[in-house]
Structure formats: C-alpha cells, structure tokens
Amino acid sequence: MINRKLLPIYLMLSLFPVLSVAQNGNAYIQIEPQIIIAGEYCQISIVLENQDAPNLINPNVAPFTIVQGPSTSSSLSIINGRRSSSTKWIYTVKAPDKPGKYKIKPIKIRTTSGSVQTSELEAEVLAANTNKNKTASVKGDGEFFVRLETETKQAYPGQQILLQCRLYTSVNISSYEFLNEPSAQGVFLQKTENPQSPVEEVMINNQKYVSKVLRTYAMYPQQTGVLQINPISMRFALDDANERQQSWGLFFKNYRYEPAQTQPISIEVKELPLPTPPKFSGAVGNFNAELKTILSAGRSNEALSFILSIKGEGDLKRINHSAIEWPESFETYGVKTTREEYLQGSEAISGIKEFVYSLVPKEPGVFDINDHFVYFNAVDNKYDSIPITVNQFEILSSGTPTRPSEAVVERFDTVEPGIMDSLRASPVLLYSAIGVVCLLVMGGIAYRQKQKNRAIQAKAPTQKELEIICLQNSFQAAIHGQEDLFYLEISRIIYRFAGRTLNKDHALLTRKEVNVCLEDHVKNEEDKSRFKILLDRCEQYLYAPLSITTPVQESRMLMEDLIEKYV
C-alpha cells in the first residue's frame, strides 16, 4: 500500500519523464532591420531552440562585420507537459559598403548533445538615397511607419548629432502621441524645439510615402564604442474612411488607434586623434571664442575681470577653461564658470559657456593679451584654434582717496536733532509711524488692483472680437507656411458656433450634428453653402494636406463675413 502522505511525491515523480520530453533542436538566423542601408549598422540574431549550448564565439556572418556582442537572452516554458527553450545571441554588425544581395552561410552551433546548423540567410543591402545616414528601418511594408535617422554614423565624444524621429505614411493621420523618449547608455540626449518641418514625398520598395519629421533630438556621446539608441514607441490616430462615410467625417472622433515603434540604431563613437594639443579645451564640434572685459581700462593693484565667452554646437560640459597667458605683471586669482546655457535653434542646439578670470595688475601700462582657444573640429576631423586677443588694454596708476574737508566735518558735528532722532528716542512713536506707512502702502496697492480689474473688465473683448482675433492669428501662421493651424482654427470657430447654438459642448459634436445645426439655424442658403465649403476645405486639408492647395485668403474673407453675421 502507498502511504497517502507520500502520494503527491509519487505523482510528481511519475510526471517527471513527461516534463523532460523536448522538441527537436532547431537553429536559425534573424537580421534587423528588414531594410538595410549600405555601410550602416544592424543586428544579427542567432537563435537556438530546445538545445543547450555554450557561448557562441565569433560566428562567421560575412560579408557583415561584427562590431559588438554578443548579448545573450534565454527563455524556458512548459506547456501541457512539453518543455521548450530558446537561446538568442545578438550581434551588432556593420553592413557591406556596396549595395546588393548577400548571403550569410549556414552557422554550425555545437550543443551538449551534438551540433545544429542554421539555414542560409539572404539579405538585401540598399544604397543610401539621400545625404543623410538613415540608420533605421521599416517595420514591414504597411500603411505607415516611423524610424530614427541620424546625420552621421560615426562621431566623437562630445560631438552634437541630430537624431530625428521621422514618419512615413500613405494614409491620413489625424494625430500622434509619443509614449516614451529615446534612451541610450553613454549618450546625453536633449529634445529640440521642432518647428513646422516640411513634408516630403519618397519612394520605398516601389511604394509612395509622405515623410515628415515629428521630433528632433540633439545627442552628445559620452564614451567611445558602438552605442545603441533604444526604440521610440508611439500611438497614431488614423482616419477611418468607413466611419467617416457613416457620420459625415469628424475631425477628432472618427479614427482608429494604431501603435508604432522605431527600430534601434547604432552610432560608432571614435577616440579623438593623437597627439592632443597642449591647450586643448575639450570642446568637440563647431565653436567661436571671444575674450572681453566690461572696463575700458583698469587700475594697478585693483581687481580686474576678463570674460572668455565660448559659443557653438557641442557638449558644453566637456569644455574646460583655457590657461590664458597673461602679462607678467598680472597676478591671477582663479577662474570660475558663470554661465552654461543651451540655446534652442531652428534644428540644432547651440550653447554658450563663459569663464571669468580674476586678476590684479601690479604695474600701470598698455598691454596686449594674445592667446588661442583650441577645439576639435568634428567636420574637418582636425584640431583648430581661434585667436582670443585684447589689444592695447590700458592699466592706470591707482589713485589716493581724499579725506572730507574740515568744514564738512564741522557741519555734520553741529547738525540739530531731526525727526529721525525723535523717532529713535521713542519706540512707541517709531512703531506707530511704521504701521501707518504700511497701511497706506497696502491701501494704495488694493486701490490700484481694483482699478486695474475694472479696466480689464471694461476692455474685455466680445465673443465676435475673440473669434476675429483667433482667425487673424491663424491667418498669420498660414502666411508663414502653417496652413494646418489656419484650417484647424476655422473648424474650431464653426464648431464653437454650433455648440453655442445647440447649447452643447462643441468638442463633443459630430460633423453630422454640425450639418443639422446649419440646416436648421442658418436661413440664408448662400451662407449655409459658405459654411459647408469651409468645412470641406478644413477636412480636405487636415486629412490630406499633401496634395491639396487651398485658397487661404478667400477662406479668411468668407469666415470673417460669417463671423460678422452669426457670432
């Protein structure tokens, strides 16, 4: 008889052979991204299933060149008593410099029970079609995709590299949302103020896409080696054509959500060339430098400050102050950083860093200060120097301070007691005077604030004036190329009019409800037609802004006329 207490153990032992049954071993190769640009970096993964193997060392992936790796991941699962396992070795590789179709020969993997061989992998390498290095790929050939692109594939520590998140689409996209920012170990990333970027048309895999930069980042590598930029995840709202036909098309309601993610990209960061100049400041990029002082002349034996101002594109934190060669009669008392600020530009981020040198000249005279600011020019791959000079700076002799005359001293000695002396003699009187002054000040402030509020209320614009102001501001944006803002504002004005008429929240209205409102409350047939023409133009531009040319001036005049009549 089996002891009942030991029954669970017997059951587990009886199941053990079942759990040990494994599927046949299998191995294969993967390459990402699917579109590979000549000379760019990508990832090759070698996957082993249902077998155990030691580390895979230097597999032959020619004509691709391994630059980093492997990183290893493994998984184990047991489903319905069947055990399955997987081990993946991931390598960062560099694609061949010439475009064409290449084959990676089968790779033999030695396992604990023998060996397994992968199948042959064919990969197509494409030529770069622009001056930019597009170091990311398409995820499939769908309706739209996003990818990360950089202006260069090689950099130096501290050099500024622009990283762009670019959208490629063949469908209408209403809006998008960033779910995370890119990240990378050994890289300092800073988001730039992305202006209205132009829309471009490109051909990829014989399919026409519309391309637009959604966000730009400035990257500053902090270490050498191959650095990987992790993917960005996004969510897009796509116009649902079927839903639009049923509900007459709603700008912000009838769309479906679709996720998207970029592929990771890699940047090779190289060491700065040797030998390093003795006065190298640590700056890498493109810079200007200026030495200045706020004084036209100084005095001997008195403190004097000079400011070294450095401006340019690069990592400011790596810039060290230069050991400037001062005249022999100048004694130095240290240097400190007083400003380190990044300034947003149209695309790149420029910066300014200032050092203040404290000096005391010991002798009068006229002096010339001549030195150089040395930095590494990442474009020309060489060390450059900028002259920093102050010519004909005059140091005057220090003067002797004068004493006040005896008449002035006598006058102050014989002055009679005044109001302040009386207040000091009586603390109660002093505190009372202070309280009166505080009450008067507070009363004056309250009165001014009340008058200001009255003036604001008197000048508050009407609803009609507010709509005209919004329309004029958006029209100015359209003149500068941002027509989408102009038509978006027109749609909002019309929806606000319908919301006030129907006593509903305009943000919750549908296009069908707006059309019904116009039919019921706009009696003039010509005005009713104008409203619908403007709505159609807004919808056409916002949903298909790539090939639509709309009469902006005419639309503004129509909207102004309707505001005057109906708002």
Side-chain angles (χ1 to χ4, degrees):
M1 294 294 291
I2 300 177
N3 192 333
R4 291 184 178 181
K5 295 183 179 180
L6 299 179
L7 183 60
I9 298 178
Y10 286 116
L11 291 175
M12 291 181 63
L13 292 176
S14 63
L15 288 174
F16 182 76
V18 178
L19 296 176
S20 300
V21 175
Q23 299 175 358
N24 295 329
N26 183 34
Y28 57 91
I29 308 175
Q30 294 176 330
I31 188 165
E32 293 180 349
Q34 296 177 357
I35 292 182
I36 306 166
I37 307 300
E40 303 299 339
Y41 294 95
C42 55
Q43 288 186 342
I44 288 181
S45 301
I46 302 172
V47 183
L48 176 64
E49 294 180 341
N50 303 319
Q51 290 286 343
D52 295 327
N55 289 334
L56 187 62
I57 301 175
N58 297 330
N60 182 13
V61 293
F64 294 83
T65 305
I66 296 177
V67 295
Q68 191 176 43
S71 59
T72 307
S73 64
S74 58
S75 63
L76 174 65
S77 63
I78 300 175
I79 300 175
N80 295 330
R82 295 187 63 84
R83 175 183 179 272
S84 62
S85 63
S86 174
T87 304
K88 180 187 289 187
W89 295 272
I90 304 173
Y91 296 85
T92 300
V93 299
K94 184 178 180 182
D97 294 328
K98 294 182 179 180
K101 291 186 178 181
Y102 297 90
K103 293 183 179 180
I104 300 176
K105 295 181 179 180
I107 298 174
K108 189 174 184 180
I109 304 174
R110 295 188 179 276
T111 66
T112 54
S113 60
S115 64
V116 179
Q117 184 170 283
T118 68
S119 59
E120 188 177 68
L121 177 68
E122 183 173 317
E124 183 177 5
V125 178
L126 303 179
N129 55 359
T130 64
N131 293 329
K132 285 191 174 184
N133 167 41
K134 301 184 185 299
T135 54
S137 73
V138 183
K139 184 178 180 181
D141 297 325
E143 299 174 324
F144 74 99
F145 60 90
V146 286
R147 70 183 182 185
L148 295 175
E149 300 177 355
T150 62
E151 57 188 349
T152 180
K153 59 184 178 181
Q154 294 181 333
Y156 295 96
Q159 178 184 350
Q160 182 184 107
I161 309 168
L162 292 182
L163 175 69
Q164 293 181 334
C165 179
R166 182 177 286 271
L167 166 68
Y168 295 84
T169 180
S170 59
V171 295
N172 295 326
I173 292 179
S174 175
S175 63
Y176 59 87
E177 176 186 5
F178 281 83
L179 302 180
N180 70 294
E181 300 289 354
S183 62
Q185 187 175 1
V187 176
F188 169 53
L189 279 163
Q190 189 167 6
K191 184 172 66 175
T192 69
E193 293 180 0
N194 203 36
Q196 188 74 12
S197 60
V199 176
E200 305 172 4
E201 292 186 358
V202 296
M203 294 293 296
I204 298 178
N205 293 342
N206 297 323
Q207 184 173 352
K208 185 178 179 180
Y209 287 94
V210 174
S211 172
K212 180 182 176 65
V213 175
L214 303 181
R215 187 169 289 181
T216 303
Y217 303 85
M219 298 193 305
Y220 304 94
Q222 302 296 306
Q223 63 188 42
T224 58
V226 178
L227 307 181
Q228 179 171 294
I229 313 300
N230 296 325
I232 295 178
S233 297
M234 300 183 64
R235 186 175 69 161
F236 289 85
L238 277 66
D239 175 26
D240 194 327
N242 295 328
E243 190 71 19
R244 287 180 60 201
Q245 291 175 3
Q246 295 173 7
S247 63
W248 295 72
L250 174 63
F251 292 149
F252 303 105
K253 282 292 180 182
N254 297 332
Y255 48 79
R256 70 181 191 275
Y257 287 109
E258 293 288 347
Q261 187 180 61
T262 66
Q263 296 287 342
I265 66 171
S266 299
I267 303 294
E268 182 184 2
V269 184
K270 303 183 295 184
E271 295 277 2
L272 292 175
L274 297 175
T276 304
K279 285 196 171 185
F280 177 50
S281 63
V284 179
N286 183 25
F287 292 93
N288 290 316
E290 180 185 10
L291 185 64
K292 55 188 177 181
T293 180
I294 59 174
L295 300 175
S296 59
R299 289 184 178 273
S300 60
N301 297 313
E302 293 184 7
L304 179 65
S305 296
F306 281 87
I307 301 173
L308 176 61
S309 179
I310 304 165
K311 300 178 182 179
E313 298 174 2
D315 190 358
L316 299 180
K317 297 185 182 298
R318 304 179 72 90
I319 303 177
N320 302 314
H321 65 82
S322 300
I324 298 176
E325 295 183 1
W326 305 102
E328 293 183 359
S329 61
F330 283 34
E331 290 187 1
T332 59
Y333 287 88
V335 57
K336 62 179 181 179
T337 303
T338 59
R339 185 181 182 187
E340 184 177 301
E341 181 181 0
Y342 288 96
L343 307 173
Q344 295 280 355
S346 59
E347 277 195 355
I349 294 181
S350 61
I352 180 170
K353 190 168 187 175
E354 292 182 347
F355 300 98
V356 175
Y357 297 81
S358 299
L359 309 165
V360 175
K362 293 299 184 181
E363 298 177 0
V366 178
F367 300 91
D368 292 332
I369 303 172
N370 297 302
D371 212 321
H372 290 81
F373 173 77
V374 182
Y375 72 100
F376 182 76
N377 189 325
V379 177
D380 298 333
N381 294 325
K382 65 176 184 177
Y383 293 95
D384 280 345
S385 62
I386 302 173
I388 47 176
T389 61
V390 176
N391 296 323
Q392 301 294 306
F393 188 77
E394 185 177 9
I395 302 297
L396 306 175
S397 298
S398 57
T400 303
T402 58
R403 292 176 57 83
S405 63
E406 295 180 359
V408 174
V409 174
E410 182 180 356
R411 177 184 174 186
F412 281 109
D413 289 341
T414 58
V415 68
E416 296 181 357
I419 296 177
M420 294 304 300
D421 295 320
S422 301
L423 292 176
R424 293 190 190 98
S426 176
V428 175
L429 184 60
L430 175 62
Y431 293 143
S432 299
I434 293 174
V436 171
V437 171
C438 291
L439 289 175
L440 291 174
V441 171
M442 293 173 63
I445 292 174
Y447 177 76
R448 287 191 62 185
Q449 186 63 36
K450 188 174 182 180
Q451 292 296 109
K452 188 175 180 181
N453 292 338
R454 287 180 178 177
I456 292 174
Q457 293 175 0
K459 296 181 180 179
T462 63
Q463 184 65 39
K464 180 184 296 184
E465 291 173 339
L466 286 174
E467 299 291 20
I468 292 293
I469 291 172
C470 293
L471 181 65
Q472 291 175 348
N473 291 339
S474 62
F475 178 70
Q476 293 298 321
I479 293 176
H480 293 85
Q482 298 182 353
E483 296 185 14
D484 54 340
L485 297 180
F486 173 70
Y487 284 105
L488 182 61
E489 190 59 45
I490 286 182
S491 69
R492 287 173 175 170
I493 292 173
I494 298 175
Y495 271 69
R496 284 196 290 265
F497 163 71
R500 290 191 299 270
T501 304
L502 300 176
N503 197 21
K504 291 184 177 181
D505 186 354
H506 70 275
L508 302 178
L509 293 176
T510 65
R511 171 67 186 273
K512 185 176 181 180
E513 291 174 326
V514 172
N515 287 339
V516 172
C517 175
L518 296 177
E519 289 289 342
D520 295 341
H521 296 86
V522 179
K523 303 304 180 182
N524 188 304
E525 292 297 329
E526 184 178 355
D527 290 342
K528 191 182 302 181
S529 176
R530 290 178 178 179
F531 271 115
K532 291 183 179 180
I533 288 173
L534 288 175
L535 281 174
D536 290 340
R537 288 180 181 176
C538 293
E539 185 174 354
Q540 288 173 357
Y541 192 86
L542 292 175
Y543 280 109
L546 312 172
S547 58
I548 299 297
T549 302
T550 55
V552 175
Q553 180 67 24
E554 179 187 332
S555 299
R556 180 182 69 88
M557 296 175 64
L558 286 176
M559 193 69 254
E560 284 183 348
D561 183 58
L562 293 173
I563 290 173
E564 290 292 338
K565 291 182 179 180
Y566 295 97
V567 176

